[in-house]
Amino acid sequence: MIKDKIQSLLAEADTLQATNLDEVEALRIKYLSRKGIMNALMEEFRQVPPESKREIGQAINQLKETLQRRLTDLRESLECQADSSSDFDLTRTPYPIHLGSRHPLTIVRQQITDIFSRLGFILADGPEIEDDWHVFTSMNFPADHPARDMQDTFFIQRHPDIVLRTHTSSVQSRVMETTQPPIRVICPGRVYRNEAISARAHCFFHQVEGLYIDRHVTFADLKQVLLTFAREMFGPDTKIRLRPSYFPFTEPSAEMDISCHLCGGEGCAFCKHTGWVEILGCGMVDPAVLDANGIDSKEYTGYAFGMGVERIANLKYRVSDLRLFSENDVRFLTQFTSAQ
Ligand code: DAH
């Protein structure tokens, strides 16, 4: 019976196998060519009585499709195997691999924040486009202070109250207005000053600000933390020196030098033959700053410090021209490697 034949051919179709493309072709000839099994079946189909034609016809069509699909599958999988057994390993990573490198300022900023993180400082940040209050007024800058001068500060056009922050000390104010002591934060960020660009000055650069406020914080605490930082950053033999200075937001204020690690303090061109290089400004937070930012200066004291990241990077890497940091020249950038 033609019906049984179709059924057994259908079962057979699903089990057809071939180990190479020639065998697939042989199967095609056997089943689908002019003298093949399917055509013979079509001959038989003519004898089928009209009332069964519809049912048998559908079964034949299904069989033909199944055979065609099976042969196509066999052919494709054999072709695929042929591709992957060629000399190409498509899973191999292409060489040479050009790995990026970290920017020297990123490396140094990371080292600075890592050291202070280990001392219990947490990261904080604030906006680069700031208002006068956070950059100057709340930081105890008198209204006529020269740092507010057009020379130093970029103002946002038509908004004389909005500036590009000139220092990260503005983040001190941002933190104090939302947090009560104990406060212990480290704030890295970009700052802007209206300076002519040269090898020694740029209109933007980077700072890291530190702030610690609690009961009974003293200048001795500040000194110890900065000594620890200097030794971690520049090596265990590093010495520090604090010189009296002035900042509106700290009283007393100081600038910190470290012993020149290039000449070991002997004196060289880098330290201008003094044996010391300046790396940061610091001091005890002025009580007026605490009060302006909602912290009771009768109860709390604090210290703050701020350093330039480019300056520290120069000390570590002796970069002669500040502009190199922002030109994105890969010949410069790929010279820096970091352990992290
Ligand atoms: N804001 C100062 C500057 O831009 C740096 C500084 C000095 C920050 C003393 C401080 C500080 O927190 O206590 O030059």
Side-chain angles (χ1 to χ4, degrees):
M1 265 272 287
I2 185 161
K3 228 172 149 182
D4 299 334
K5 221 185 231 172
I6 294 172
Q7 278 315 316
S8 76
L9 279 169
L10 255 178
E12 195 177 308
D14 277 334
T15 61
L16 292 182
Q17 293 296 347
T19 52
N20 56 48
L21 290 172
D22 288 343
E23 287 180 21
V24 180
E25 179 59 9
L27 289 172
R28 191 193 66 78
I29 291 168
K30 179 176 171 193
Y31 290 96
L32 298 170
S33 68
R34 215 152 51 81
K35 294 190 172 156
I37 291 172
M38 280 310 291
N39 262 2
L41 212 56
M42 289 308 286
E43 285 299 313
E44 259 180 72
F45 179 65
R46 291 190 189 177
Q47 319 301 324
V48 171
E51 65 273 16
S52 309
K53 270 218 153 63
R54 190 184 153 87
E55 186 197 352
I56 306 285
Q58 278 175 353
I60 289 183
N61 278 342
Q62 190 198 347
L63 173 63
K64 193 171 173 188
E65 274 168 26
T66 309
L67 282 165
Q68 281 168 338
R69 196 176 338 109
R70 180 73 192 167
L71 294 186
T72 308
D73 285 353
L74 286 172
R75 190 175 300 115
E76 281 177 358
S77 81
L78 286 166
E79 280 168 356
C80 206
Q81 277 173 28
D83 274 354
S84 58
S85 62
S86 72
D87 288 343
F88 299 111
D89 176 0
L90 298 178
T91 61
R92 208 190 76 174
T93 319
Y95 291 100
I97 307 171
H98 291 290
L99 278 186
S101 54
R102 271 176 214 268
H103 193 282
L105 295 179
T106 306
I107 297 173
V108 170
R109 184 200 63 210
Q110 189 77 44
Q111 285 170 343
I112 299 169
T113 52
D114 270 0
I115 294 168
F116 285 104
S117 298
R118 274 182 266 129
L119 295 171
F121 288 74
I122 59 168
L123 279 174
D125 68 0
E128 291 177 15
I129 303 172
E130 254 299 10
D131 51 35
D132 177 280
W133 168 259
H134 292 94
V135 179
F136 297 127
T137 306
S138 71
M139 296 310 288
N140 202 31
F141 279 79
D144 53 357
H145 195 280
R148 292 173 174 234
D149 196 295
M150 297 287 285
Q151 297 263 309
D152 293 318
T153 309
F154 284 117
F155 291 87
I156 303 297
Q157 241 178 10
R158 288 195 288 275
H159 293 278
D161 193 41
I162 307 290
V163 301
L164 296 185
R165 67 179 178 196
T166 55
H167 58 178
T168 45
S169 301
S170 57
V171 185
Q172 287 192 28
S173 165
R174 287 266 164 203
V175 172
M176 283 188 244
E177 71 188 3
T178 55
T179 326
Q180 279 298 304
I183 290 172
R184 190 153 33 179
V185 289
I186 190 84
C187 328
R190 180 175 284 184
V191 301
Y192 301 82
R193 287 189 198 174
N194 193 355
E195 303 250 11
I197 298 170
S198 71
R200 317 200 120 255
H202 212 297
C203 60
F204 64 80
F205 54 100
H206 301 80
Q207 292 186 332
V208 176
E209 190 84 12
L211 175 69
Y212 179 33
I213 304 172
D214 204 346
R215 292 190 178 88
H216 315 302
V217 177
T218 67
F219 202 95
D221 298 329
L222 170 63
K223 189 177 173 190
Q224 185 57 44
V225 152
L226 292 179
L227 176 64
T228 306
F229 164 71
R231 291 188 169 158
E232 291 271 326
M233 194 74 197
F234 299 102
D237 298 330
T238 309
K239 294 186 195 55
I240 63 166
R241 170 173 96 168
L242 289 161
R243 282 179 290 102
S245 184
Y246 171 78
F247 299 102
F249 35 90
T250 42
E251 181 58 36
S253 305
E255 276 168 313
M256 186 175 95
D257 300 338
I258 56 164
S259 51
C260 178
H261 71 308
L262 297 180
C263 61
E266 297 285 299
C268 66
F270 190 80
C271 60
K272 301 200 187 78
H273 303 282
T274 62
W276 297 95
V277 281
E278 183 202 319
I279 64 159
L280 55 80
C282 61
M284 299 306 290
V285 179
D286 194 306
V289 171
L290 294 175
D291 290 331
N293 289 286
I295 290 174
D296 186 353
S297 63
K298 289 191 197 65
E299 196 173 347
Y300 295 106
T301 52
Y303 63 68
F305 54 86
M307 66 188 92
V309 181
E310 279 81 351
R311 174 126 189 98
I312 310 260
N314 275 342
L315 277 172
K316 286 193 88 102
Y317 300 120
R318 303 185 69 179
V319 177
S320 56
D321 189 328
L322 264 184
R323 290 169 290 197
L324 286 166
F325 286 124
S326 51
E327 278 168 353
N328 279 341
D329 186 330
V330 286
R331 291 168 301 181
F332 171 72
L333 296 175
T334 53
Q335 291 177 51
F336 302 90
T337 51
S338 116
Q340 298 141 17

